[in-house]
Amino acid sequence: LNDSLPQKTDSLLAFKECVLIVNPLDYFLKNKISVYNLSLKNVAVYAYRNKTGKANWEIVKTSSDTLAVDSEIDIRQVELEHANLIFDDRNTEVYSRIDDVDLRLKLALTKGVSSLGVEFENKNILFWQQGELLINKVAASLQTDIEIDRSTALWTLKNTGLTINGIRLDVNGELKRDTVTKMVGVNLKYGLHAPSMETVMNMIPEA
C-alpha cells in the first residue's frame, strides 16, 4: 500500500511504500501471531509535543485494565529503508533528528525467553536542548542479538557491535531490571577497535 495523505509534513508517520506479510491461520490454529515481513520505505516520523505537554503520538485510548498478551508473537523481519526521525518537544525544549536510517529487526516473543536481532545504521544524529546544539555530525551503526528472559527480567547482549564515526565498540554482557528498587543492574564487557592510535587521541577533548 502507498501513503496517500495530502499533508505529510506534520504527520506522525508518513511513508512512500509499505509491505506487510502475515499468516492469519497461525493465530486461529496455534494462538500465534506470525508476521513474515513488515517493510517501510522512505519513512518520515515526526513526534511532536506542544508546550502544554500534548503529544501527537497519544492517539490510542488508555485503559486502567492491564492488557495481557497470551499469544506468541513471531516477527520474522521488520525493515525501515531511508527513514528520517524527528523528535520535537516544545515542553522541555528538546529537538533531535536522526537522518537516513536503515533498520532491520527480527523478533520472537514467547512466554519464556524472547529474542531480538537488530541491525541499524544512520548518516547523522543531531540533538538540541534549550537552544544549545549538543550533538551533530554523528554517524552510527549497531548490530546486536538480545535474549530477554521475561520471568527474571534479564537481558543478555550477544555479538553486539556499536560503531560511531568509524570507531567500533564490541559489547557483551547482561542487563537486569530490579522491579522493587526500579533500578537496572549492568554487567557489560566492551572492547575498542580503532584504525590507529591517532584516532583514539583525537577522541580526548582539549579540556
Side-chain angles (χ1 to χ4, degrees):
L1 56 91
N2 294 318
D3 186 359
S4 58
L5 287 175
Q7 184 71 18
K8 296 184 180 182
T9 55
D10 53 4
S11 298
L12 175 61
L13 173 66
F15 54 87
K16 182 179 180 181
E17 181 181 287
C18 173
V19 176
L20 175 64
I21 303 172
V22 299
N23 185 351
L25 292 179
D26 276 359
Y27 180 75
F28 295 107
L29 300 179
K30 303 177 183 179
N31 194 29
K32 180 180 180 181
I33 299 172
S34 296
V35 178
Y36 292 149
N37 186 50
L38 171 60
S39 176
L40 292 166
K41 295 183 179 180
N42 296 338
V43 184
V45 177
Y46 181 62
Y48 171 80
R49 181 158 53 189
N50 64 20
K51 291 183 179 181
T52 63
K54 178 66 176 177
N56 69 341
W57 62 82
E58 295 173 350
I59 56 178
V60 179
K61 291 183 178 180
T62 59
S63 173
S64 58
D65 298 330
T66 303
L67 179 63
V69 179
D70 295 327
S71 303
E72 290 190 2
I73 301 176
D74 182 12
I75 302 177
R76 306 275 178 94
Q77 188 160 282
V78 175
E79 294 180 300
L80 295 180
E81 293 185 18
H82 304 300
N84 294 296
L85 314 176
I86 294 176
F87 178 74
D88 186 1
D89 191 338
R90 305 293 174 87
N91 183 260
T92 58
E93 297 183 49
V94 170
Y95 177 89
S96 61
R97 188 178 73 230
I98 306 178
D99 296 329
D100 202 2
V101 173
D102 288 330
L103 174 67
R104 291 176 178 83
L105 299 175
K106 293 182 179 179
L107 172 67
L109 178 60
T110 66
K111 297 178 181 179
V113 178
S114 302
S115 63
L116 172 65
V118 180
E119 294 182 15
F120 167 90
E121 62 180 354
N122 77 285
K123 288 190 176 179
N124 187 40
I125 298 175
L126 181 143
F127 186 87
W128 285 81
Q129 185 171 24
Q130 297 180 344
E132 293 191 17
L133 179 62
L134 302 180
I135 298 174
N136 193 18
K137 297 181 180 179
V138 175
S141 66
L142 172 68
Q143 298 85 34
T144 184
D145 293 316
I146 303 173
E147 288 186 357
I148 306 166
D149 190 326
R150 301 173 68 184
S151 62
T152 60
L154 178 66
W155 291 47
T156 304
L157 277 66
K158 299 180 179 179
N159 306 316
T160 301
L162 172 64
T163 303
I164 300 177
N165 288 349
I167 299 175
R168 178 183 171 92
L169 285 168
D170 288 336
V171 183
N172 291 284
E174 297 176 343
L175 303 171
K176 185 174 176 59
R177 182 168 59 92
D178 190 328
T179 57
V180 177
T181 61
K182 296 183 179 180
M183 299 179 67
V184 177
V186 179
N187 181 16
L188 297 175
K189 296 180 180 179
Y190 64 90
L192 174 65
H193 295 263
S196 67
M197 183 58 69
E198 180 183 4
T199 304
V200 178
M201 297 301 295
N202 289 336
M203 295 173 60
I204 302 174
E206 294 181 0

